[in-house]
Amino acid sequence: MKIRIPATSANLGPGFDSIGLALSRYLTIEVLKPADEWYIEHNLPYVPDDKYNLLIKTALKIKPDLQPHHLKMESDIPLARGLGSSSSVIVAGIELANQLGNLQLSQAEKLQLATEIEGHPDNVAPAIYGNLVVASYVNKRVSAIVSDFPECAFLAFIPKYELRTSDSRGVLPNQLSHKKAVAASAVSNVLVAALLKGDLTTAGQAMESDIFHEPFRQRLVKEFYAIKKIGHEYGAYATYLSGAGPTIMVLAPQDKIDSLQEAISQLGFDGELAPLTVDTVGIYVE
C-alpha cells in the first residue's frame, strides 16, 4: 500500500491561517510489511526512523494499538520552507492509522483530527482534499469549503535556508487595532470572492495587500522584494510568501512563467526555482 500527500501553500497573502492550496510536490509512504517494532526507511536528515517519527506519533495518537510495520518514506517537500512538510506528515499519519486500523474515517473527520494536532487548518485541509480550501477553526470546530483554483501557473523560489514557523510567528504583533483588523479582514474577503469568481487580477491585488502577516515577515526573506519586482515587470498576478516562508510563490499566467523563471534566475539567488501546478486529489491511496 502507498499513501501520497501533496505539498501545500498557505495564507496566499491575507488568508492568514485559513486559506491553503495543494501543490504538485509529494510525500509518499509505502507500507512494506508487519514488524515487531516501527521502522521507517528514509533519507531525510535529523528525522527519526522509529516510533518517535511524527508520522508514527500521529498514527498512534489516532489508534494506539496499531500493529507496527516496516515503512518507507520519500518526500520532495523541503523541510521548514513554507510548503507544509510537517502538515503532510500529520495527514499521512492519520491516513496510515485509517488504513491499518480500518477506521473508515470521513474526509471531515480527518480534517478535524489533523487540525487538532497541527493547530490550524490552512495547510492540512488542502493536503486532505486537494485544490483550494478556505477553512476556520473556532471553538474547536473546523469548517471548510473546497473549490477549484482558477487556471494559472505557480513558480516557487525555495531558498536553501530554513525558516522555522516559530521564528516566523515571533515577528508578528500580539494584536491589531480594530480599524486595522477590519481592513485586513476586508482584503481577505475580497481575495476569497475573487478566487471563487476566477478573477485572478483582483485576487492578485488582494494577495499583495495583506495586513495580517506579510508586512512583518517579508524582511526575514531577503529575496522577496527583488522577486516581487520581477513579478510586476513580467506580468505576474501576485507574489506572496508561502506559509510562514521562506518560499516565495509567484502566481502568473501560464505564458509568462518561462520569462519569469529566466528573469528570476538571473538574480543569482541561492535556491531552487520550481514550476508547480495545483494538486486536485489530496490524499491518494493505492
Side-chain angles (χ1 to χ4, degrees):
M1 178 177 65
K2 287 185 178 180
I3 299 169
R4 190 189 71 182
I5 310 295
T8 53
S9 180
N11 300 329
L12 280 67
F16 186 54
D17 283 353
S18 62
I19 299 179
L21 177 70
L23 292 171
S24 57
R25 288 218 168 184
Y26 297 95
L27 167 73
T28 302
I29 306 299
E30 186 174 0
V31 181
L32 300 177
K33 60 183 178 181
D36 293 332
E37 296 182 347
W38 291 101
Y39 176 68
I40 306 177
E41 290 181 34
H42 65 76
N43 59 358
L44 304 173
Y46 313 116
V47 174
D49 59 9
D50 55 14
K51 64 181 180 181
Y52 298 105
N53 187 290
L54 179 60
L55 175 78
I56 305 306
K57 288 169 67 176
T58 301
L60 294 178
K61 188 173 291 189
I62 306 303
K63 188 166 175 49
D65 61 347
L66 284 176
Q67 164 72 46
H69 278 72
H70 181 180
L71 310 173
K72 185 176 182 180
M73 173 189 286
E74 295 181 344
S75 179
D76 59 3
I77 307 172
L79 301 176
R81 299 298 203 284
L83 288 169
S85 58
S86 60
S87 293
S88 67
V89 176
I90 289 169
V91 171
I94 292 170
E95 190 58 40
L96 181 67
N98 184 49
Q99 295 294 328
L100 294 182
N102 193 28
L103 302 181
Q104 300 184 18
L105 296 173
S106 68
Q107 299 288 70
E109 289 170 328
K110 294 172 192 176
L111 177 57
Q112 183 71 37
L113 291 167
T115 304
E116 289 171 359
I117 294 169
E118 203 278 340
H120 307 95
D122 52 336
N123 273 309
V124 293
I128 293 168
Y129 291 101
N131 287 305
L132 172 74
V133 186
V134 183
S136 65
Y137 184 43
V138 180
N139 296 326
K140 298 185 178 180
R141 180 182 174 186
V142 184
S143 297
I145 298 294
V146 184
S147 175
D148 292 338
F149 199 88
E151 184 67 34
C152 66
F154 291 81
L155 180 62
F157 174 73
I158 308 170
K160 286 292 177 68
Y161 58 87
E162 297 182 358
L163 182 57
R164 297 289 176 185
T165 301
S166 56
D167 295 334
S168 194
R169 285 194 178 270
V171 301
L172 301 180
N174 291 325
Q175 59 185 11
L176 295 176
S177 69
H178 184 268
K179 183 177 180 180
K180 275 198 169 183
V182 169
S185 178
V187 174
S188 183
N189 292 342
V190 170
L191 170 63
V192 173
L195 288 174
L196 296 182
K197 190 178 179 181
D199 181 352
L200 282 172
T201 299
T202 302
Q205 292 168 353
M207 287 182 197
E208 293 193 349
S209 301
D210 173 56
I211 299 171
F212 286 124
H213 76 111
E214 282 209 1
F216 312 102
R217 287 173 163 171
Q218 286 173 6
R219 63 178 179 268
L220 300 177
V221 183
K222 60 184 183 294
E223 303 90 349
F224 186 85
Y225 293 106
I227 291 176
K228 183 177 180 180
K229 183 173 183 290
I230 293 289
H232 287 170
E233 292 172 357
Y234 283 78
Y237 293 120
T239 301
Y240 69 90
L241 283 179
S242 182
T247 291
I248 300 164
M249 198 71 67
V250 183
L251 182 66
Q254 187 66 53
D255 62 0
K256 304 285 188 182
I257 283 296
D258 289 345
S259 57
L260 275 164
Q261 187 166 359
E262 175 62 24
I264 294 171
S265 68
Q266 294 299 317
L267 295 173
F269 292 142
D270 189 16
E272 177 190 0
L273 271 172
L276 300 171
T277 58
V278 176
D279 175 272
T280 61
V281 176
I283 296 172
Y284 177 74
V285 179
E286 64 172 333

